[in-house]
Amino acid sequence: MDRSSLLQLIQEQLDPENTGFIGADTFTGLVHSHELPLDPAKLDMLVALAQSNERGQVCYQELVDLISSKRSSSFKRAIANGQRALPRDGLLDEPGLGVYKRFVRYVAYEILPREVDRHWYFYRHRSCPPPVFMASVTLAQIIVFLCYGARFNKWVLQTYHPEYMKSPLVYHPGHRARAWRFVTYMFMHVGLEQLGFNALLQLMIGVPLEMVHGLLRISLLYLAGVLAGSLTVSITDMRAPVVGGSGGVYALCSAHLANVVMLFLFTLSQNWAGMRCPYKLLRMVLALVCMSSEVGRAVWLRFSPPLPASGPQPSFMAHLAGAVVGVSMGLTILRSYEERLRDQCGWWVVLLAYGTFLLFAIFWNVFAYDLLGAHVPPPP
């Protein structure tokens, strides 16, 4: 029996008067009798949902969302306020898992703070499509770095090479009309140290985030941080070029860390204690150390270059812009990995703010440089 036939049968047999409510116990028996059991996570959530109703009933539309792997806001509120808690046994206690399922369980505890979300993700996760976006971006950055490193025979502080700024990928204020440079600069890096930091964070945080939230949301957040980084530099540090994917990396890391901190403050120690991953704290400390070190390195190179240079060194403002995008847009995107973005009011507010920033930055780049008489270094 397929999903649509099951829903039709449920409505005909359990809600013939179209009241909009169905008894949870009767529904569970019907599913088992037709040899179409739901996965344990869905059955547990169904019972919890029924217990939140005084009559032990489930709203038909919420039941449709459950079977269709969609959770509405009202459904999640019912789960949160249900009188019957979900089973206390966590995924860490589940035996007999293969290597890949253990990795999925690890990702669930790394990314999701609530046990109900972990169960939901664990039982409905599919290996296809794989998290290809962050892996592809990291691989492309490594290939580009190796190509330029071999060409210049220089692997550290590549920006000091006289030919480096001639790359068609680098954002340079003298080439603002070449709009693709506002994004493609993410494939270029100052040296091995910057590439190492970014690749580590992209794989350590970006891949698990993509596994949970999907390619579309994570690519949107990453590219929004990259674009905001170059545009912010064009406004606040008008003479400086930009290289590196730090804008996107900081958007991902800041979004994830801010999401964890907000949930921790909201429920005090409940959610943090629920994140029972052995290396959770170590992983977050490592991410913060990498982010802080990268910002410090960028500030040092910008204001105290260790070698004579023909022009200003890359700006560090892209890091800060990415962090702002992560805290604002990322909190909305990662707050609910199941709820559709267009159903969230906060998403439209953030989208409007980001669109306003883009329009302002475009007008700034078109008119402000001439009006302010900015002394831009000659394009290479």
Side-chain angles (χ1 to χ4, degrees):
M1 181 182 298
D2 58 18
R3 183 180 299 169
S4 59
S5 300
L6 174 64
L7 293 174
Q8 183 178 2
L9 180 64
I10 291 172
Q11 188 173 24
E12 291 176 354
Q13 294 190 10
L14 304 184
D15 190 25
E17 299 179 359
N18 293 323
T19 61
F21 290 91
I22 299 171
D25 295 336
T26 308
F27 167 75
T28 304
L30 176 68
V31 171
H32 286 295
S33 66
H34 285 79
E35 299 180 355
L36 188 62
L38 294 174
D39 62 57
K42 288 186 178 181
L43 286 175
D44 290 340
M45 285 186 282
L46 176 64
V47 175
L49 179 62
Q51 292 295 330
S52 67
N53 185 280
E54 295 180 356
R55 299 180 180 180
Q57 296 176 330
V58 181
C59 174
Y60 177 75
Q61 184 57 48
E62 291 174 343
L63 182 58
V64 172
D65 292 340
L66 176 64
I67 297 177
S68 303
S69 296
K70 297 178 181 178
R71 289 185 291 172
S72 62
S73 299
S74 59
F75 174 77
K76 286 183 290 184
R77 284 195 299 270
I79 291 294
N81 299 327
Q83 298 174 359
R84 178 184 183 276
L86 292 173
R88 295 182 178 273
D89 294 336
L91 292 177
L92 289 181
D93 305 319
E94 188 163 337
L97 297 178
V99 175
Y100 182 73
K101 291 301 289 184
R102 286 201 299 268
F103 178 68
V104 173
R105 180 179 61 184
Y106 166 82
V107 170
Y109 275 98
E110 281 288 303
I111 303 302
L112 300 172
R114 290 183 290 264
E115 190 69 25
V116 59
D117 289 330
R118 296 173 190 146
H119 275 268
W120 183 274
Y121 168 73
F122 180 80
Y123 285 109
R124 69 180 296 267
H125 173 76
R126 299 294 181 269
S127 58
C128 186
V132 296
F133 176 75
M134 292 312 309
S136 300
V137 168
T138 304
L139 180 61
Q141 291 172 341
I142 293 175
I143 292 175
V144 170
F145 177 78
L146 292 176
C147 291
Y148 277 94
R151 176 184 173 184
F152 300 149
N153 193 25
K154 192 175 181 65
W155 306 97
V156 178
L157 299 178
Q158 289 186 353
T159 52
Y160 288 90
H161 194 281
E163 298 293 321
Y164 183 87
M165 290 299 172
K166 295 182 179 180
S167 169
L169 301 178
V170 174
Y171 166 79
H172 189 279
H175 289 308
R176 299 189 314 280
R178 302 175 183 179
W180 70 83
R181 291 174 178 259
F182 284 90
V183 176
T184 58
Y185 77 91
M186 71 179 188
F187 296 108
M188 303 290 292
H189 287 82
V190 172
L192 188 60
E193 69 287 350
Q194 185 188 28
L195 175 65
F197 279 136
N198 287 347
L200 176 64
L201 292 174
Q202 286 172 177
L203 296 178
M204 187 175 65
I205 293 180
V207 170
L209 284 175
E210 187 178 350
M211 289 180 64
V212 173
H213 297 281
L215 182 148
L216 182 61
R217 291 192 179 194
I218 297 306
S219 61
L220 174 63
L221 180 59
Y222 185 89
L223 294 177
V226 169
L227 183 58
S230 57
L231 290 175
T232 300
V233 170
S234 70
I235 296 172
T236 60
D237 199 355
M238 300 169 66
R239 301 183 68 248
V242 189
V243 296
S246 298
V249 170
Y250 276 62
L252 294 179
C253 295
S254 300
H256 177 53
L257 296 178
N259 191 52
V260 171
V261 170
M262 289 294 291
L263 288 170
F264 169 67
L265 295 177
F266 180 73
T267 59
L268 296 179
S269 61
Q270 180 180 357
N271 279 347
W272 184 262
M275 285 183 155
R276 298 181 298 166
C277 192
Y279 304 106
K280 180 67 182 180
L281 181 60
L282 177 62
R283 179 172 171 268
M284 294 188 64
V285 170
L286 179 60
L288 289 174
V289 169
C290 289
M291 294 170 66
S292 302
S293 300
E294 172 61 16
V295 171
R297 183 203 60 80
V299 173
W300 170 63
L301 290 178
R302 179 67 181 91
F303 295 111
S304 299
L307 298 174
S310 58
Q313 288 300 294
S315 176
F316 61 91
M317 291 302 298
H319 302 69
L320 304 182
V324 172
V325 169
V327 173
S328 57
M329 182 181 293
L331 271 179
T332 304
I333 292 178
L334 304 187
R335 183 178 60 181
S336 173
Y337 81 98
E338 274 285 318
E339 189 174 356
R340 293 175 298 185
L341 290 178
R342 63 174 179 267
D343 294 336
Q344 302 182 43
C345 180
W347 165 247
W348 296 106
V349 175
V350 171
L351 198 62
L352 177 62
Y354 190 81
T356 303
F357 165 73
L358 289 183
L359 290 176
F360 172 79
I362 291 173
F363 277 97
W364 181 277
N365 278 272
V366 173
F367 301 108
Y369 278 74
D370 293 333
L371 293 176
L372 298 177
H375 298 286
V376 177

PDB file of all heavy atoms in Angstrom, residues 336-348:
ATOM      1  N   SER A 336      15.408  25.334  12.321  1.00  0.00           N
ATOM      2  CA  SER A 336      14.544  24.173  12.119  1.00  0.00           C
ATOM      3  C   SER A 336      14.927  23.523  10.808  1.00  0.00           C
ATOM      4  O   SER A 336      14.652  24.055   9.735  1.00  0.00           O
ATOM      5  CB  SER A 336      13.070  24.596  12.085  1.00  0.00           C
ATOM      6  OG  SER A 336      12.263  23.495  11.739  1.00  0.00           O
ATOM      7  N   TYR A 337      15.582  22.373  10.889  1.00  0.00           N
ATOM      8  CA  TYR A 337      16.081  21.748   9.672  1.00  0.00           C
ATOM      9  C   TYR A 337      14.971  21.124   8.838  1.00  0.00           C
ATOM     10  O   TYR A 337      15.187  20.778   7.682  1.00  0.00           O
ATOM     11  CB  TYR A 337      17.135  20.697  10.023  1.00  0.00           C
ATOM     12  CG  TYR A 337      16.596  19.362  10.465  1.00  0.00           C
ATOM     13  CD1 TYR A 337      16.509  18.310   9.574  1.00  0.00           C
ATOM     14  CD2 TYR A 337      16.179  19.155  11.774  1.00  0.00           C
ATOM     15  CE1 TYR A 337      16.022  17.084   9.977  1.00  0.00           C
ATOM     16  CE2 TYR A 337      15.707  17.937  12.178  1.00  0.00           C
ATOM     17  CZ  TYR A 337      15.627  16.898  11.279  1.00  0.00           C
ATOM     18  OH  TYR A 337      15.142  15.684  11.684  1.00  0.00           O
ATOM     19  N   GLU A 338      13.761  21.000   9.404  1.00  0.00           N
ATOM     20  CA  GLU A 338      12.655  20.396   8.663  1.00  0.00           C
ATOM     21  C   GLU A 338      11.671  21.424   8.141  1.00  0.00           C
ATOM     22  O   GLU A 338      11.105  21.254   7.072  1.00  0.00           O
ATOM     23  CB  GLU A 338      11.906  19.406   9.571  1.00  0.00           C
ATOM     24  CG  GLU A 338      12.518  18.021   9.574  1.00  0.00           C
ATOM     25  CD  GLU A 338      12.206  17.287   8.292  1.00  0.00           C
ATOM     26  OE1 GLU A 338      11.068  17.369   7.822  1.00  0.00           O
ATOM     27  OE2 GLU A 338      13.112  16.658   7.735  1.00  0.00           O
ATOM     28  N   GLU A 339      11.439  22.489   8.870  1.00  0.00           N
ATOM     29  CA  GLU A 339      10.420  23.470   8.496  1.00  0.00           C
ATOM     30  C   GLU A 339      10.862  24.256   7.265  1.00  0.00           C
ATOM     31  O   GLU A 339      12.008  24.669   7.151  1.00  0.00           O
ATOM     32  CB  GLU A 339      10.164  24.420   9.660  1.00  0.00           C
ATOM     33  CG  GLU A 339       8.967  25.334   9.435  1.00  0.00           C
ATOM     34  CD  GLU A 339       8.655  26.165  10.662  1.00  0.00           C
ATOM     35  OE1 GLU A 339       9.331  25.964  11.693  1.00  0.00           O
ATOM     36  OE2 GLU A 339       7.743  27.008  10.587  1.00  0.00           O
ATOM     37  N   ARG A 340       9.955  24.451   6.354  1.00  0.00           N
ATOM     38  CA  ARG A 340      10.265  25.188   5.137  1.00  0.00           C
ATOM     39  C   ARG A 340      10.549  26.646   5.453  1.00  0.00           C
ATOM     40  O   ARG A 340       9.883  27.258   6.269  1.00  0.00           O
ATOM     41  CB  ARG A 340       9.105  25.074   4.154  1.00  0.00           C
ATOM     42  CG  ARG A 340       8.890  23.676   3.608  1.00  0.00           C
ATOM     43  CD  ARG A 340       7.665  23.600   2.731  1.00  0.00           C
ATOM     44  NE  ARG A 340       6.460  23.925   3.482  1.00  0.00           N
ATOM     45  CZ  ARG A 340       5.219  23.844   2.981  1.00  0.00           C
ATOM     46  NH1 ARG A 340       5.040  23.472   1.734  1.00  0.00           N
ATOM     47  NH2 ARG A 340       4.172  24.141   3.728  1.00  0.00           N
ATOM     48  N   LEU A 341      11.543  27.197   4.760  1.00  0.00           N
ATOM     49  CA  LEU A 341      11.947  28.573   5.039  1.00  0.00           C
ATOM     50  C   LEU A 341      10.824  29.557   4.748  1.00  0.00           C
ATOM     51  O   LEU A 341      10.648  30.537   5.472  1.00  0.00           O
ATOM     52  CB  LEU A 341      13.187  28.921   4.214  1.00  0.00           C
ATOM     53  CG  LEU A 341      14.493  28.220   4.613  1.00  0.00           C
ATOM     54  CD1 LEU A 341      15.607  28.627   3.674  1.00  0.00           C
ATOM     55  CD2 LEU A 341      14.860  28.527   6.047  1.00  0.00           C
ATOM     56  N   ARG A 342      10.079  29.307   3.683  1.00  0.00           N
ATOM     57  CA  ARG A 342       9.035  30.265   3.322  1.00  0.00           C
ATOM     58  C   ARG A 342       7.901  30.299   4.334  1.00  0.00           C
ATOM     59  O   ARG A 342       7.064  31.218   4.302  1.00  0.00           O
ATOM     60  CB  ARG A 342       8.483  29.951   1.934  1.00  0.00           C
ATOM     61  CG  ARG A 342       7.793  28.615   1.803  1.00  0.00           C
ATOM     62  CD  ARG A 342       7.169  28.495   0.415  1.00  0.00           C
ATOM     63  NE  ARG A 342       6.509  27.229   0.187  1.00  0.00           N
ATOM     64  CZ  ARG A 342       7.088  26.176  -0.356  1.00  0.00           C
ATOM     65  NH1 ARG A 342       8.350  26.265  -0.745  1.00  0.00           N
ATOM     66  NH2 ARG A 342       6.422  25.044  -0.534  1.00  0.00           N
ATOM     67  N   ASP A 343       7.844  29.340   5.242  1.00  0.00           N
ATOM     68  CA  ASP A 343       6.829  29.338   6.291  1.00  0.00           C
ATOM     69  C   ASP A 343       7.285  30.081   7.534  1.00  0.00           C
ATOM     70  O   ASP A 343       6.514  30.199   8.491  1.00  0.00           O
ATOM     71  CB  ASP A 343       6.456  27.899   6.667  1.00  0.00           C
ATOM     72  CG  ASP A 343       5.775  27.157   5.526  1.00  0.00           C
ATOM     73  OD1 ASP A 343       5.198  27.828   4.655  1.00  0.00           O
ATOM     74  OD2 ASP A 343       5.831  25.905   5.505  1.00  0.00           O
ATOM     75  N   GLN A 344       8.519  30.564   7.545  1.00  0.00           N
ATOM     76  CA  GLN A 344       9.055  31.265   8.706  1.00  0.00           C
ATOM     77  C   GLN A 344       9.075  32.764   8.443  1.00  0.00           C
ATOM     78  O   GLN A 344       9.677  33.233   7.481  1.00  0.00           O
ATOM     79  CB  GLN A 344      10.483  30.780   9.011  1.00  0.00           C
ATOM     80  CG  GLN A 344      10.586  29.282   9.271  1.00  0.00           C
ATOM     81  CD  GLN A 344      12.001  28.864   9.603  1.00  0.00           C
ATOM     82  OE1 GLN A 344      12.695  29.534  10.359  1.00  0.00           O
ATOM     83  NE2 GLN A 344      12.443  27.745   9.052  1.00  0.00           N
ATOM     84  N   CYS A 345       8.434  33.503   9.326  1.00  0.00           N
ATOM     85  CA  CYS A 345       8.383  34.958   9.175  1.00  0.00           C
ATOM     86  C   CYS A 345       9.778  35.561   9.270  1.00  0.00           C
ATOM     87  O   CYS A 345      10.117  36.495   8.541  1.00  0.00           O
ATOM     88  CB  CYS A 345       7.466  35.546  10.251  1.00  0.00           C
ATOM     89  SG  CYS A 345       7.322  37.350  10.188  1.00  0.00           S
ATOM     90  N   GLY A 346      10.594  35.014  10.170  1.00  0.00           N
ATOM     91  CA  GLY A 346      11.936  35.547  10.336  1.00  0.00           C
ATOM     92  C   GLY A 346      12.785  35.436   9.092  1.00  0.00           C
ATOM     93  O   GLY A 346      13.671  36.267   8.846  1.00  0.00           O
ATOM     94  N   TRP A 347      12.524  34.408   8.273  1.00  0.00           N
ATOM     95  CA  TRP A 347      13.290  34.236   7.045  1.00  0.00           C
ATOM     96  C   TRP A 347      13.073  35.397   6.095  1.00  0.00           C
ATOM     97  O   TRP A 347      14.008  35.900   5.477  1.00  0.00           O
ATOM     98  CB  TRP A 347      12.909  32.916   6.386  1.00  0.00           C
ATOM     99  CG  TRP A 347      13.352  32.799   4.963  1.00  0.00           C
ATOM    100  CD1 TRP A 347      12.563  32.756   3.849  1.00  0.00           C
ATOM    101  CD2 TRP A 347      14.709  32.723   4.476  1.00  0.00           C
ATOM    102  NE1 TRP A 347      13.325  32.652   2.715  1.00  0.00           N
ATOM    103  CE2 TRP A 347      14.644  32.632   3.072  1.00  0.00           C
ATOM    104  CE3 TRP A 347      15.950  32.728   5.095  1.00  0.00           C
ATOM    105  CZ2 TRP A 347      15.778  32.538   2.279  1.00  0.00           C
ATOM    106  CZ3 TRP A 347      17.079  32.631   4.300  1.00  0.00           C
ATOM    107  CH2 TRP A 347      16.998  32.534   2.920  1.00  0.00           C
ATOM    108  N   TRP A 348      11.837  35.859   5.975  1.00  0.00           N
ATOM    109  CA  TRP A 348      11.544  36.965   5.063  1.00  0.00           C
ATOM    110  C   TRP A 348      12.137  38.267   5.579  1.00  0.00           C
ATOM    111  O   TRP A 348      12.565  39.122   4.788  1.00  0.00           O
ATOM    112  CB  TRP A 348      10.033  37.094   4.874  1.00  0.00           C
ATOM    113  CG  TRP A 348       9.443  35.889   4.213  1.00  0.00           C
ATOM    114  CD1 TRP A 348       8.703  34.910   4.786  1.00  0.00           C
ATOM    115  CD2 TRP A 348       9.586  35.524   2.831  1.00  0.00           C
ATOM    116  NE1 TRP A 348       8.364  33.951   3.855  1.00  0.00           N
ATOM    117  CE2 TRP A 348       8.879  34.301   2.642  1.00  0.00           C
ATOM    118  CE3 TRP A 348      10.221  36.097   1.738  1.00  0.00           C
ATOM    119  CZ2 TRP A 348       8.822  33.665   1.419  1.00  0.00           C
ATOM    120  CZ3 TRP A 348      10.157  35.468   0.511  1.00  0.00           C
ATOM    121  CH2 TRP A 348       9.463  34.268   0.358  1.00  0.00           C
TER     122      TRP A 348
END
